[in-house]
Amino acid sequence: MALHDVQSSPGTDNRWRHVRRLLERAGPLGGPEFEPDPELFSAIRSDLVQILVVGAGGLGCEMLKDLALSGFVNLHLIDMDTIDLSNLNRQFLFRPKDIGRPKAVVAAEFVERRVSGCRVTPHFGKLEDKPLEFYRQFMCIVCGLDSVQARRRLNQIVCSLVQFDESDQPIPTSVIPLIDGGTQGFQGHCRVVRAHATPCLECTADLYSSTQQGFPLCTLAHTPRLPEHCIEFARIMQWPQEWPFGEEVPVDGDDPHHVDWIRTEACKRARQFGIREPDFRLTQGVVKHIIPAVASTNAVISAQCVTEVFKAITGCYPLLNNFANFSDIEGVAVNVVPLERNPQCDVCGQPPPKPLTFNSRDSLQTVINQLKSEHGMTRPSLTACVEGRDVTLYMDLSFLRDQLADNLDKSLAELGLLSNTVLNVTDSAQSGMKPVTFVLNLEDGMET
């Protein structure tokens, strides 16, 4: 049958005829339990199917557009950023007049204007600002983030929403598929996570590199030639020595005070060696390890992710199993890899206690600093079993932070912590995170 011979059902916009074909026809690649049904298209056009898009950057804008043009009408979008001039070259939902406004709000307005019947609810804020019940309402979550920490936080939220039956098996209706997309230049990935069925993001956290290939230290120290060399010198060598509390406070690429301090020091060094002085944008890009985005890569990865969303909602085709890597560096290549779960995963597994080695004279603040630097935590809260009773050592929550602040300067011995003491740690910044168990090892031999 010719394409133009297929007519849409009465009252249905002709623009959806291609989508309807996927749901109303059987095919050799269809899922084993899929039954073509005209009502499936009506289902995805209903308010009952709610989808959350996380991130409104270059990839998030593509995802939002693709979802709207796939027939979904009830979308939510969450993003904490406002529009900057540098966004306009790849985040096509924004215009110069939108600079300074929240990305989520502007993107929602744009899509609603262009795709009739589609409603996009914007949420301007952080992931952790929303309660767990907010995430429970969605049938699928798709994210296009440039932050590993935000990915891990979202992964923990999704895994924490899973409910179990009397046999400790996940209840299928409580499992919210998480579709994760990411791009770096001409490379990208699409990944499908079904909590407790496929590996979660934490199972293979090493796939999400948070660093870029660095410059040789000898070049930074003796023969800098680029503005980037001066920025890295200020970040790596000057920050720990000269910034107040530099060794305790890591550089935050989203903090304008941190970035401006590094830019100022980098400019001084650039003038010393006759190098072009870096501006704020370049400095932040180096500090945050930002790789320039490529619009075509965003389009490809978005198409992959939204296809997986469509399959997860309708069941018309099997889901990706479960990680696809895309590269367009030397020709186009896509590899699908079935990643495996980590039985000792901190989020979806049952890991054994991890060792924490300190001296009894070390302070609780030292322990917290290591939890941040080596275990990826942002705002760790600690409890311990001391002399047979549970003791709260520190809680990084607004209503308890001041009450327990004195403990930060106390030594482990003063707090009554001995070798083999079990510490239960949660991250107050990561909603729904399961406690991570550590066993304290004191090198000076103070044992329980």
Side-chain angles (χ1 to χ4, degrees):
M1 182 181 296
L3 187 64
H4 57 76
D5 292 334
V6 179
Q7 300 296 322
S8 299
S9 299
T12 302
D13 191 333
N14 197 46
R15 75 191 306 174
W16 308 118
R17 65 186 184 278
H18 303 297
V19 177
R20 295 180 66 92
R21 288 191 183 95
L22 294 174
L23 304 177
E24 297 178 4
R25 297 178 177 179
L29 300 179
E33 299 180 358
F34 173 68
E35 296 183 3
D37 188 345
E39 295 301 319
L40 277 174
F41 180 73
S42 299
I44 69 172
R45 298 283 291 171
S46 72
D47 287 337
L48 296 178
V49 178
Q50 298 188 78
I51 300 172
L52 175 64
V53 180
V54 183
L59 186 55
C61 284
E62 287 279 358
M63 290 175 171
L64 189 65
K65 177 261 294 182
D66 287 348
L67 287 167
L69 294 179
S70 296
F72 297 105
V73 298
N74 193 351
L75 306 176
H76 289 246
L77 175 65
I78 184 169
D79 192 283
M80 61 178 288
D81 290 336
T82 55
I83 298 168
D84 182 75
L85 176 64
S86 62
N87 302 145
L88 302 184
N89 69 327
R90 64 194 182 282
Q91 298 172 21
F92 60 91
L93 300 182
F94 310 140
R95 300 293 182 268
K97 63 182 177 62
D98 300 321
I99 291 175
R101 297 185 64 201
K103 289 183 177 181
V105 174
V106 175
E109 293 173 350
F110 192 103
V111 170
E112 287 186 342
R113 287 196 305 268
R114 294 296 298 270
V115 184
S116 60
C118 182
R119 296 178 302 281
V120 183
T121 304
H123 303 275
F124 176 46
K126 300 179 180 179
L127 294 174
E128 58 266 30
D129 292 342
K130 298 292 185 181
L132 283 179
E133 289 305 313
F134 168 79
Y135 297 96
R136 199 183 299 277
Q137 65 183 309
F138 300 107
M139 291 188 67
C140 193
I141 298 175
V142 56
C143 63
L145 296 165
D146 60 1
S147 166
V148 175
Q149 194 66 31
R151 277 191 176 93
R152 297 174 68 180
R153 187 175 305 133
L154 186 61
N155 176 70
Q156 290 160 349
I157 291 172
V158 170
C159 290
S160 69
L161 292 175
V162 178
Q163 300 173 353
F164 297 85
D165 58 23
E166 295 178 353
S167 302
D168 290 331
Q169 296 300 312
I171 300 174
T173 55
S174 70
V175 178
I176 301 175
L178 172 63
I179 316 298
D180 175 56
T183 63
Q184 281 190 334
F186 290 98
Q187 296 178 294
H189 77 265
C190 170
R191 181 167 180 181
V192 176
V193 174
R194 289 179 293 121
H196 300 279
T198 67
C200 75
L201 300 188
E202 197 69 27
C203 287
T204 53
D206 54 332
L207 288 176
Y208 300 92
S209 174
S210 60
T211 60
Q212 68 180 29
Q213 183 176 0
F215 302 107
L217 289 178
C218 58
T219 299
L220 301 182
H222 304 294
T223 57
R225 300 181 300 277
L226 300 171
E228 290 86 345
H229 294 162
C230 300
I231 296 169
E232 283 291 87
F233 182 87
R235 182 182 70 86
I236 296 174
M237 299 184 178
Q238 292 181 266
W239 176 273
Q241 303 297 327
E242 300 178 25
W243 173 267
F245 315 109
E247 293 184 353
E248 299 180 0
V249 180
V251 179
D252 184 353
D254 292 315
D255 188 325
H257 298 292
H258 289 200
V259 177
D260 194 59
W261 187 91
I262 290 177
R263 185 194 65 81
T264 300
E265 297 303 317
C267 286
K268 294 178 183 177
R269 187 166 179 80
R271 289 193 293 269
Q272 180 182 352
F273 286 89
I275 302 171
R276 175 175 60 86
E277 297 181 19
D279 57 15
F280 185 92
R281 177 183 173 189
L282 176 62
T283 303
Q284 188 175 48
V286 173
V287 170
K288 295 180 67 176
H289 309 301
I290 294 175
I291 297 176
V294 176
S296 59
T297 309
N298 286 338
V300 170
I301 299 303
S302 172
Q304 286 184 315
C305 291
V306 173
T307 298
E308 295 306 317
V309 173
F310 190 86
K311 292 192 293 186
I313 297 295
T314 65
C316 61
Y317 293 93
L319 288 171
L320 174 73
N321 184 27
N322 48 57
F323 181 88
N325 184 62
F326 170 81
S327 178
D328 190 19
I329 298 176
E330 296 180 358
V332 177
V334 179
N335 298 312
V336 176
V337 181
L339 301 176
E340 297 183 359
R341 290 185 66 192
N342 177 7
Q344 298 183 350
C345 174
D346 290 343
V347 176
C348 72
Q350 299 295 329
K354 298 181 177 181
L356 278 179
T357 302
F358 290 96
N359 189 286
S360 61
R361 295 184 297 275
D362 289 332
S363 67
L364 183 62
Q365 182 66 65
T366 303
V367 177
I368 290 176
N369 291 342
Q370 181 169 315
L371 290 172
K372 291 179 179 179
S373 61
E374 297 186 13
H375 296 276
M377 296 188 178
T378 304
R379 291 162 49 195
S381 299
L382 299 85
T383 60
C385 182
V386 180
E387 297 180 352
R389 59 190 180 90
D390 290 331
V391 176
T392 300
L393 301 174
Y394 185 71
M395 296 289 285
D396 199 345
L397 298 171
S398 58
F399 55 92
L400 287 174
R401 191 179 297 119
D402 293 339
Q403 298 180 29
L404 298 169
D406 291 343
N407 284 351
L408 295 176
D409 294 327
K410 292 181 179 179
S411 69
L412 301 183
E414 291 175 318
L415 293 169
L417 303 182
L418 306 174
S419 277
N420 298 324
T421 296
V422 175
L423 299 178
N424 290 313
V425 184
T426 57
D427 194 336
S428 304
Q430 300 183 15
S431 176
M433 174 183 174
K434 293 194 312 182
V436 180
T437 303
F438 295 88
V439 175
L440 196 61
N441 175 34
L442 298 183
E443 294 178 320
D444 48 351
M446 296 186 63
E447 298 184 353
T448 53

